[in-house]
Structures are given as structure tokens and as C-alpha cells.
Coordinates of all heavy atoms in Angstrom, one line a residue:
M85 N 73.6 79.4 101.6 CA 73.9 80.8 102.0 C 75.3 81.2 101.4 O 76.3 80.6 101.7 CB 73.9 80.9 103.5 CG 74.0 82.3 104.1 SD 73.9 82.4 105.8 CE 74.2 84.2 106.1
P86 N 75.3 82.2 100.7 CA 76.5 82.7 100.1 C 77.5 83.2 101.1 O 77.1 83.6 102.2 CB 76.1 83.8 99.1 CG 74.8 84.3 99.7 CD 74.1 83.1 100.3
E87 N 78.7 83.2 100.7 CA 79.8 83.7 101.6 C 79.5 85.2 102.0 O 79.2 86.0 101.1 CB 81.1 83.6 100.9 CG 82.3 83.9 101.9 CD 83.6 83.6 101.2 OE1 83.6 83.2 100.0 OE2 84.6 83.9 101.8
A88 N 79.6 85.5 103.2 CA 79.4 86.9 103.7 C 80.4 87.8 103.1 O 81.5 87.4 102.8 CB 79.5 86.9 105.2
E89 N 80.0 89.0 102.8 CA 80.9 90.0 102.3 C 82.0 90.3 103.3 O 81.8 90.5 104.4 CB 80.2 91.2 101.9 CG 79.4 91.1 100.6 CD 78.9 92.5 100.1 OE1 79.5 93.5 100.5 OE2 77.9 92.5 99.4
I90 N 83.2 90.3 102.7 CA 84.3 90.6 103.6 C 84.8 92.0 103.3 O 85.1 92.4 102.2 CB 85.5 89.7 103.3 CG1 85.1 88.2 103.6 CG2 86.7 90.0 104.1 CD1 86.1 87.2 103.1
P91 N 84.7 92.9 104.3 CA 85.2 94.3 104.1 C 86.6 94.4 103.9 O 87.4 93.7 104.5 CB 84.8 94.9 105.5 CG 84.8 93.8 106.5 CD 84.4 92.6 105.7
E92 N 87.0 95.3 103.0 CA 88.4 95.5 102.8 C 89.1 96.1 104.0 O 88.5 97.0 104.6 CB 88.6 96.4 101.6 CG 90.1 96.5 101.2 CD 90.2 97.2 99.8 OE1 89.2 97.6 99.3 OE2 91.4 97.4 99.4
P93 N 90.2 95.6 104.4 CA 90.9 96.1 105.6 C 91.2 97.6 105.5 O 91.6 98.0 104.4 CB 92.1 95.3 105.8 CG 92.3 94.6 104.5 CD 91.0 94.5 103.8
S94 N 91.2 98.3 106.6 CA 91.5 99.7 106.5 C 93.0 100.0 106.4 O 93.8 99.3 107.0 CB 91.0 100.4 107.8 OG 91.5 101.7 107.9
P95 N 93.3 100.9 105.5 CA 94.7 101.3 105.4 C 95.3 101.8 106.7 O 96.6 101.7 106.9 CB 94.7 102.4 104.4 CG 93.4 102.3 103.6 CD 92.5 101.7 104.6
R96 N 94.5 102.1 107.6 CA 95.0 102.6 108.9 C 95.6 101.5 109.7 O 96.3 101.7 110.7 CB 93.9 103.3 109.7 CG 93.4 104.6 109.1 CD 92.4 105.3 109.9 NE 91.9 106.5 109.3 CZ 91.2 107.4 109.9 NH1 90.8 107.2 111.2 NH2 90.8 108.5 109.3
D97 N 95.2 100.2 109.4 CA 95.8 99.1 110.1 C 97.2 98.8 109.6 O 97.9 98.0 110.3 CB 94.9 97.9 109.9 CG 93.6 98.0 110.6 OD1 93.6 98.7 111.7 OD2 92.6 97.4 110.2
R98 N 97.6 99.4 108.6 CA 98.9 99.0 108.0 C 100.0 99.3 109.0 O 100.0 100.3 109.7 CB 99.1 99.7 106.7 CG 98.2 99.2 105.6 CD 98.4 100.0 104.3 NE 97.4 99.6 103.3 CZ 97.2 100.1 102.1 NH1 98.0 101.2 101.8 NH2 96.3 99.7 101.3
T99 N 101.0 98.4 109.0 CA 102.1 98.5 109.9 C 103.4 97.9 109.3 O 103.3 97.3 108.3 CB 101.7 97.9 111.2 OG1 102.7 98.2 112.2 CG2 101.6 96.4 111.1
T100 N 104.4 98.2 110.0 CA 105.7 97.6 109.6 C 106.0 96.3 110.2 O 105.3 95.9 111.2 CB 106.9 98.6 109.9 OG1 106.9 98.7 111.3 CG2 106.6 100.0 109.3
L101 N 107.0 95.6 109.7 CA 107.3 94.3 110.2 C 107.6 94.3 111.7 O 107.2 93.4 112.4 CB 108.5 93.8 109.4 CG 109.0 92.4 109.8 CD1 107.9 91.3 109.6 CD2 110.3 92.0 109.1
L102 N 108.3 95.4 112.1 CA 108.7 95.4 113.5 C 107.5 95.6 114.4 O 107.6 95.2 115.6 CB 109.7 96.6 113.7 CG 111.1 96.4 113.1 CD1 111.9 97.7 113.3 CD2 111.8 95.2 113.6
R103 N 106.5 96.2 113.9 CA 105.3 96.4 114.7 C 104.2 95.4 114.6 O 103.2 95.4 115.2 CB 104.7 97.8 114.4 CG 105.6 98.9 114.8 CD 105.1 100.2 114.3 NE 105.9 101.4 114.7 CZ 105.7 102.1 115.8 NH1 104.6 101.9 116.5 NH2 106.5 103.1 116.1
L104 N 104.5 94.4 113.7 CA 103.5 93.4 113.3 C 103.4 92.4 114.5 O 104.3 91.8 114.9 CB 103.9 92.7 112.1 CG 102.8 91.9 111.3 CD1 101.7 92.8 110.8 CD2 103.4 91.1 110.2
H105 N 102.1 92.2 114.9 CA 101.9 91.3 116.0 C 101.4 89.9 115.4 O 101.1 89.8 114.3 CB 100.9 91.8 117.0 CG 101.4 93.0 117.8 ND1 102.2 92.8 118.9 CD2 101.4 94.3 117.6 CE1 102.5 94.0 119.4 NE2 102.0 94.9 118.6
A106 N 101.3 89.0 116.3 CA 101.0 87.6 115.9 C 99.6 87.5 115.2 O 99.4 86.8 114.3 CB 101.0 86.7 117.1
R107 N 98.7 88.3 115.7 CA 97.3 88.3 115.2 C 97.0 89.4 114.2 O 95.9 89.8 114.1 CB 96.3 88.4 116.4 CG 96.4 87.2 117.4 CD 95.7 86.0 116.9 NE 95.8 84.9 117.8 CZ 94.9 84.7 118.9 NH1 94.0 85.6 119.1 NH2 95.1 83.7 119.6
Q108 N 98.0 89.8 113.5 CA 97.8 90.8 112.5 C 98.2 90.3 111.1 O 99.1 89.5 111.0 CB 98.7 92.0 112.8 CG 98.1 92.9 114.0 CD 98.9 94.2 114.1 OE1 100.0 94.2 114.6 NE2 98.4 95.2 113.6
C109 N 97.4 90.7 110.2 CA 97.6 90.2 108.8 C 99.0 90.6 108.3 O 99.5 91.7 108.4 CB 96.6 90.8 107.9 SG 96.7 90.4 106.2
R110 N 99.7 89.6 107.8 CA 101.1 89.8 107.3 C 101.1 89.9 105.8 O 102.2 89.6 105.2 CB 102.0 88.7 107.8 CG 101.5 87.3 107.4 CD 102.4 86.2 108.1 NE 102.2 86.3 109.5 CZ 102.9 85.5 110.4 NH1 103.8 84.7 109.9 NH2 102.6 85.6 111.6
F111 N 100.1 90.3 105.2 CA 100.1 90.5 103.8 C 100.8 91.8 103.4 O 100.5 92.8 104.0 CB 98.6 90.5 103.2 CG 98.5 90.5 101.7 CD1 98.4 89.3 101.1 CD2 98.6 91.7 101.0 CE1 98.3 89.2 99.7 CE2 98.5 91.6 99.6 CZ 98.4 90.4 99.0
V112 N 101.7 91.7 102.5 CA 102.5 92.9 102.2 C 101.7 93.8 101.2 O 101.3 93.3 100.2 CB 103.8 92.5 101.5 CG1 104.6 93.7 101.1 CG2 104.7 91.6 102.4
V113 N 101.4 94.9 101.7 CA 100.6 95.9 100.8 C 101.5 96.9 100.1 O 101.1 97.5 99.2 CB 99.6 96.6 101.7 CG1 98.5 95.6 102.2 CG2 100.2 97.3 102.8
S114 N 102.7 97.0 100.7 CA 103.6 98.0 100.0 C 105.1 97.5 100.2 O 105.6 97.6 101.3 CB 103.5 99.4 100.6 OG 104.4 100.2 100.1
D115 N 105.6 96.8 99.2 CA 106.9 96.2 99.3 C 108.0 97.3 99.0 O 108.3 97.5 97.9 CB 107.0 95.1 98.3 CG 108.3 94.3 98.6 OD1 109.0 94.6 99.5 OD2 108.6 93.4 97.7
D116 N 108.4 97.9 100.1 CA 109.4 99.0 99.9 C 110.7 98.7 100.7 O 111.1 99.5 101.5 CB 108.8 100.3 100.3 CG 109.6 101.5 99.9 OD1 110.5 101.3 99.0 OD2 109.4 102.6 100.4
G117 N 111.2 97.5 100.5 CA 112.4 97.1 101.3 C 112.2 97.2 102.8 O 111.2 96.6 103.3
P118 N 113.1 97.8 103.5 CA 113.0 97.9 104.9 C 111.7 98.5 105.4 O 111.3 98.3 106.6 CB 114.2 98.7 105.3 CG 115.1 98.7 104.1 CD 114.2 98.6 103.0
A119 N 111.2 99.4 104.6 CA 110.0 100.1 105.0 C 108.7 99.4 104.5 O 107.7 100.1 104.4 CB 110.0 101.5 104.5
A120 N 108.8 98.2 104.2 CA 107.6 97.5 103.7 C 106.4 97.5 104.7 O 106.6 97.4 105.9 CB 108.0 96.0 103.4
L121 N 105.3 97.7 104.1 CA 104.1 97.8 104.9 C 103.3 96.6 104.8 O 103.1 96.0 103.8 CB 103.2 99.0 104.5 CG 103.8 100.4 104.9 CD1 102.9 101.5 104.4 CD2 103.9 100.5 106.4
F122 N 102.8 96.1 106.0 CA 101.9 95.0 106.1 C 100.5 95.4 106.4 O 100.3 96.5 107.0 CB 102.4 94.0 107.1 CG 103.8 93.4 106.8 CD1 104.9 94.1 107.0 CD2 103.9 92.2 106.2 CE1 106.2 93.6 106.7 CE2 105.1 91.6 105.9 CZ 106.3 92.4 106.2
C123 N 99.6 94.6 106.0 CA 98.2 94.9 106.1 C 97.8 95.2 107.6 O 97.3 96.3 107.9 CB 97.3 93.7 105.6 SG 95.6 93.9 106.0
G124 N 98.2 94.3 108.5 CA 98.0 94.6 109.9 C 96.6 94.5 110.5 O 96.4 94.7 111.7
A125 N 95.6 94.1 109.6 CA 94.3 93.9 110.1 C 94.2 92.7 111.0 O 95.0 91.8 110.8 CB 93.3 93.8 108.9
P126 N 93.3 92.6 111.9 CA 93.1 91.5 112.8 C 92.9 90.2 112.0 O 92.1 90.2 111.0 CB 91.9 91.8 113.7 CG 91.7 93.3 113.5 CD 92.2 93.7 112.2
T127 N 93.5 89.1 112.5 CA 93.3 87.8 111.8 C 92.6 86.9 112.8 O 92.5 87.1 114.0 CB 94.7 87.2 111.4 OG1 95.4 86.8 112.6 CG2 95.5 88.2 110.6
R128 N 92.2 85.8 112.2 CA 91.7 84.7 113.0 C 92.9 84.0 113.6 O 94.0 84.0 113.0 CB 90.8 83.8 112.2 CG 89.5 84.4 111.8 CD 88.7 83.5 110.9 NE 87.5 84.2 110.5 CZ 86.7 83.7 109.6 NH1 86.9 82.5 109.0 NH2 85.6 84.3 109.2
P129 N 92.7 83.3 114.7 CA 93.9 82.6 115.4 C 94.6 81.6 114.5 O 95.8 81.5 114.6 CB 93.2 81.9 116.6 CG 92.0 82.6 116.8 CD 91.5 83.2 115.5
E130 N 93.9 81.0 113.6 CA 94.5 80.0 112.8 C 95.1 80.5 111.4 O 95.6 79.7 110.6 CB 93.6 78.8 112.5 CG 92.5 79.1 111.5 CD 91.3 79.9 112.1 OE1 91.4 80.3 113.3 OE2 90.3 80.0 111.4
S131 N 94.9 81.8 111.2 CA 95.3 82.3 109.9 C 96.4 83.4 110.0 O 96.5 84.0 111.1 CB 94.1 83.0 109.3 OG 94.4 83.5 108.0
S132 N 97.2 83.5 109.0 CA 98.2 84.5 108.9 C 97.7 85.8 108.3 O 98.4 86.8 108.3 CB 99.4 84.0 108.2 OG 100.0 82.8 108.8
W133 N 96.5 85.7 107.8 CA 96.0 86.8 107.0 C 94.6 87.2 107.5 O 93.9 86.4 108.1 CB 95.9 86.5 105.5 CG 97.2 86.1 104.9 CD1 98.2 87.0 104.6 CD2 97.6 84.8 104.6 NE1 99.3 86.2 104.1 CE2 98.9 84.9 104.0 CE3 97.0 83.6 104.7 CZ2 99.6 83.8 103.6 CZ3 97.8 82.5 104.2 CH2 99.0 82.6 103.7
C134 N 94.2 88.4 107.3 CA 92.9 88.8 107.6 C 92.0 88.2 106.6 O 92.4 87.7 105.6 CB 92.8 90.4 107.5 SG 93.0 91.0 105.9
P135 N 90.7 88.1 106.9 CA 89.8 87.4 106.0 C 89.9 87.9 104.5 O 89.8 87.1 103.6 CB 88.4 87.7 106.6 CG 88.6 87.9 108.0 CD 90.0 88.6 108.1
W136 N 90.1 89.2 104.4 CA 90.2 89.7 103.0 C 91.4 89.2 102.3 O 91.2 88.7 101.1 CB 90.3 91.3 103.1 CG 90.5 92.0 101.9 CD1 91.7 92.3 101.3 CD2 89.6 92.5 100.9 NE1 91.6 92.9 100.1 CE2 90.3 93.1 99.9 CE3 88.2 92.5 100.9 CZ2 89.6 93.7 98.8 CZ3 87.5 93.1 99.9 CH2 88.2 93.7 98.8
H137 N 92.5 89.2 102.9 CA 93.7 88.8 102.2 C 93.8 87.3 102.2 O 94.4 86.7 101.3 CB 95.0 89.4 102.8 CG 95.2 90.8 102.5 ND1 95.2 91.8 103.4 CD2 95.2 91.4 101.2 CE1 95.4 93.0 102.7 NE2 95.4 92.7 101.4
R138 N 93.2 86.6 103.2 CA 93.2 85.2 103.2 C 92.5 84.7 101.9 O 92.9 83.8 101.2 CB 92.5 84.7 104.4 CG 92.5 83.2 104.6 CD 91.9 82.7 105.9 NE 91.9 81.3 106.1 CZ 91.0 80.5 105.7 NH1 89.9 81.0 105.0 NH2 91.1 79.2 105.8
R139 N 91.4 85.3 101.6 CA 90.6 84.9 100.5 C 91.4 85.2 99.2 O 91.5 84.4 98.3 CB 89.3 85.7 100.4 CG 88.4 85.2 99.3 CD 87.1 85.9 99.4 NE 87.2 87.3 99.1 CZ 86.2 88.1 98.9 NH1 84.9 87.7 99.1 NH2 86.3 89.4 98.7
L140 N 92.1 86.3 99.2 CA 92.9 86.7 98.1 C 94.0 85.7 97.8 O 94.3 85.3 96.7 CB 93.5 88.1 98.3 CG 93.9 88.9 97.1 CD1 92.8 89.6 96.5 CD2 95.0 89.9 97.4
V141 N 94.7 85.3 98.9 CA 95.8 84.4 98.8 C 95.4 83.1 98.3 O 96.0 82.4 97.5 CB 96.5 84.3 100.2 CG1 97.5 83.1 100.2 CG2 97.3 85.6 100.5
Y142 N 94.3 82.6 98.9 CA 93.8 81.3 98.5 C 93.3 81.2 97.1 O 93.3 80.2 96.4 CB 92.7 80.8 99.5 CG 93.3 80.2 100.7 CD1 93.9 81.0 101.7 CD2 93.4 78.8 100.9 CE1 94.5 80.4 102.8 CE2 94.0 78.2 102.0 CZ 94.5 79.0 103.0 OH 95.1 78.5 104.1
M143 N 92.7 82.3 96.6 CA 92.3 82.4 95.3 C 93.4 82.4 94.3 O 93.4 81.7 93.2 CB 91.5 83.7 95.0 CG 90.0 83.6 95.5 SD 89.2 85.2 95.4 CE 89.7 85.8 93.8
R144 N 94.5 83.1 94.7 CA 95.7 83.2 93.8 C 96.6 81.9 93.9 O 97.3 81.6 93.0 CB 96.5 84.4 94.1 CG 95.8 85.7 93.9 CD 95.6 86.0 92.4 NE 95.3 87.4 92.2 CZ 96.1 88.3 91.8 NH1 97.4 88.0 91.6 NH2 95.8 89.5 91.6
A145 N 96.5 81.3 95.0 CA 97.5 80.2 95.3 C 97.3 79.0 94.3 O 96.2 78.6 94.1 CB 97.3 79.6 96.7
P146 N 98.3 78.6 93.6 CA 98.2 77.5 92.7 C 98.0 76.2 93.4 O 98.5 76.1 94.5 CB 99.6 77.5 92.0 CG 100.5 78.2 92.9 CD 99.7 79.2 93.7
T147 N 97.3 75.3 92.8 CA 97.0 74.1 93.5 C 98.1 73.0 93.2 O 98.1 72.0 93.8 CB 95.6 73.5 93.0 OG1 95.7 73.4 91.6 CG2 94.5 74.4 93.5
Q148 N 99.0 73.4 92.3 CA 100.0 72.5 92.0 C 101.4 73.2 91.8 O 101.4 74.4 91.4 CB 99.7 71.7 90.7 CG 99.5 72.7 89.5 CD 99.2 71.9 88.2 OE1 99.1 70.7 88.2 NE2 99.1 72.6 87.2
G149 N 102.4 72.6 92.2 CA 103.8 73.2 92.1 C 104.0 74.4 92.8 O 104.7 75.3 92.4
A150 N 103.3 74.5 94.0 CA 103.5 75.7 94.8 C 105.0 75.8 95.3 O 105.5 74.8 95.9 CB 102.6 75.7 96.0
K151 N 105.6 76.9 95.1 CA 107.0 77.0 95.5 C 107.0 77.8 96.8 O 106.3 78.8 97.0 CB 107.8 77.7 94.5 CG 107.9 76.9 93.2 CD 108.7 77.7 92.2 CE 108.8 76.9 90.9 NZ 109.6 77.7 89.8
A152 N 107.9 77.5 97.7 CA 108.1 78.2 98.9 C 108.5 79.6 98.6 O 109.3 79.9 97.7 CB 109.1 77.5 99.8
G153 N 108.0 80.5 99.4 CA 108.4 81.9 99.2 C 107.6 82.6 98.1 O 107.9 83.8 97.9
R154 N 106.6 82.0 97.6 CA 105.9 82.6 96.5 C 104.4 82.8 97.0 O 103.5 83.0 96.2 CB 105.8 81.7 95.3 CG 107.2 81.5 94.6 CD 107.7 82.8 94.0 NE 106.8 83.3 93.0 CZ 106.9 83.0 91.7 NH1 107.9 82.2 91.3 NH2 106.1 83.4 90.8
G155 N 104.3 82.9 98.3 CA 102.9 83.0 98.8 C 102.3 84.4 98.7 O 101.1 84.6 98.7
F156 N 103.2 85.4 98.6 CA 102.7 86.7 98.6 C 102.3 87.2 97.2 O 103.1 87.0 96.2 CB 103.7 87.7 99.2 CG 103.8 87.5 100.7 CD1 105.1 87.2 101.2 CD2 102.7 87.6 101.5 CE1 105.2 87.0 102.6 CE2 102.9 87.4 102.9 CZ 104.1 87.1 103.4
V157 N 101.2 87.9 97.1 CA 100.9 88.5 95.8 C 100.9 90.0 96.0 O 100.1 90.6 96.7 CB 99.5 88.0 95.4 CG1 99.1 88.7 94.1 CG2 99.4 86.5 95.3
L158 N 101.9 90.6 95.3 CA 102.0 92.0 95.5 C 101.2 92.8 94.5 O 101.4 92.6 93.3 CB 103.5 92.4 95.3 CG 104.4 91.6 96.3 CD1 105.9 92.0 96.0 CD2 104.1 92.0 97.7
P159 N 100.4 93.7 95.0 CA 99.7 94.6 94.1 C 100.6 95.5 93.4 O 101.6 95.9 93.9 CB 98.7 95.3 95.0 CG 99.3 95.2 96.3 CD 100.2 94.0 96.4
D160 N 100.2 96.0 92.2 CA 101.1 96.9 91.5 C 100.7 98.3 91.9 O 99.7 98.8 91.6 CB 100.8 96.7 90.0 CG 101.7 97.6 89.2 OD1 102.6 98.3 89.8 OD2 101.6 97.7 88.0
Y161 N 101.6 98.9 92.7 CA 101.4 100.3 93.1 C 102.2 101.3 92.3 O 102.6 102.3 92.8 CB 101.7 100.4 94.6 CG 100.5 100.0 95.5 CD1 100.6 98.8 96.1 CD2 99.4 100.8 95.6 CE1 99.5 98.3 96.9 CE2 98.4 100.3 96.4 CZ 98.4 99.1 97.1 OH 97.4 98.7 97.9
G162 N 102.5 100.9 91.1 CA 103.3 101.8 90.3 C 104.7 101.9 90.7 O 105.2 103.0 90.9
S163 N 105.3 100.7 90.9 CA 106.7 100.7 91.4 C 107.6 101.3 90.4 O 108.7 101.9 90.8 CB 107.1 99.3 91.8 OG 107.0 98.5 90.6
A164 N 107.3 101.2 89.2 CA 108.2 101.8 88.1 C 107.8 103.3 87.9 O 107.0 103.6 87.1 CB 108.0 101.0 86.8
K165 N 108.5 104.1 88.7 CA 108.2 105.5 88.6 C 109.0 106.1 87.5 O 110.1 105.7 87.2 CB 108.6 106.2 89.9 CG 107.7 105.8 91.1 CD 108.1 106.5 92.3 CE 107.2 106.1 93.5 NZ 107.6 106.8 94.7
D166 N 108.3 107.0 86.9 CA 108.9 107.6 85.7 C 109.9 108.8 86.1 O 109.5 109.9 86.4 CB 107.8 108.2 84.8 CG 108.4 108.8 83.5 OD1 109.5 108.4 83.1 OD2 107.7 109.6 82.9
R167 N 111.1 108.4 86.2 CA 112.1 109.4 86.6 C 112.8 109.9 85.4 O 113.5 109.1 84.7 CB 113.1 108.7 87.6 CG 112.5 108.4 88.9 CD 113.5 107.9 89.9 NE 113.0 107.5 91.2 CZ 113.7 107.0 92.2 NH1 115.0 106.8 92.0 NH2 113.1 106.7 93.3
R168 N 112.7 111.1 85.2 CA 113.3 111.7 84.1 C 114.8 112.2 84.4 O 115.0 112.7 85.5 CB 112.6 112.9 83.6 CG 111.2 112.6 82.9 CD 110.6 113.9 82.4 NE 109.3 113.6 81.8 CZ 108.6 114.5 81.2 NH1 109.0 115.8 81.2 NH2 107.4 114.2 80.7
K169 N 115.6 111.9 83.5 CA 117.0 112.4 83.7 C 117.0 113.9 83.3 O 116.4 114.3 82.3 CB 118.0 111.6 82.9 CG 118.1 110.2 83.4 CD 119.2 109.4 82.5 CE 119.4 108.0 83.1 NZ 120.4 107.3 82.3
D170 N 117.8 114.6 84.0 CA 117.8 116.0 83.8 C 118.9 116.3 82.7 O 119.9 116.9 82.9 CB 118.2 116.8 85.0 CG 118.0 118.3 84.8 OD1 117.3 118.7 83.9 OD2 118.6 119.0 85.6
A171 N 118.5 115.8 81.5 CA 119.5 115.9 80.4 C 119.0 117.0 79.5 O 117.9 117.2 79.2 CB 119.5 114.6 79.6
K172 N 120.0 117.8 79.1 CA 119.7 118.9 78.2 C 120.0 118.6 76.8 O 121.0 117.9 76.5 CB 120.5 120.1 78.7 CG 120.0 120.7 80.0 CD 120.8 121.9 80.3 CE 120.3 122.5 81.7 NZ 121.1 123.6 82.1
Ligands
LIG409 ZN1 95.1 91.8 105.3

């Protein structure tokens, strides 16, 4: 039996670090310094991530030479904004 489809967590579950509870996914969906947003979707008791991000993390996680602090995989939300200088 193939793995059941895992629904993508709702953006409405997203929350900040201060509001993040023990059973909420701590996957960073928007790394914006103090205002960083976490997934916040419900997790299983033994997991730090919701099923969706747990699968993502485990897929991305290297099996060798894993370094501490490199567990998060940040999606590219266009962090490099094109700011034009107002030069004449
Ligand atoms: Zn999640």
C-alpha cells in the first residue's frame, strides 16, 4: 500500500515563534528575522514537524555529515527583492 497522500498544511496555521506550541510544526516557512513564520500545523507527539514538512525534512536530510543547525530547508520566497535606487 503506497504512502497516503499528505495534504499541504494550511497557511492559516502559520504562526510566530512566540505563539508556537509544543505540538505545532516548527518548520520555518518565512525566515524574516524576528518576524519569522513557522508552519504551525499540528504534529504527531514524536515529531517536530507536521507530516508534510517531516517528509520534506527527511527527504532533504543528508545521510552523512549532517551538521547541527542545518536541519531547516528554507524555500525561496524571493528574498532578494529588486530595490531600485532613486538615482537620476
Ligand atoms: Zn509543517
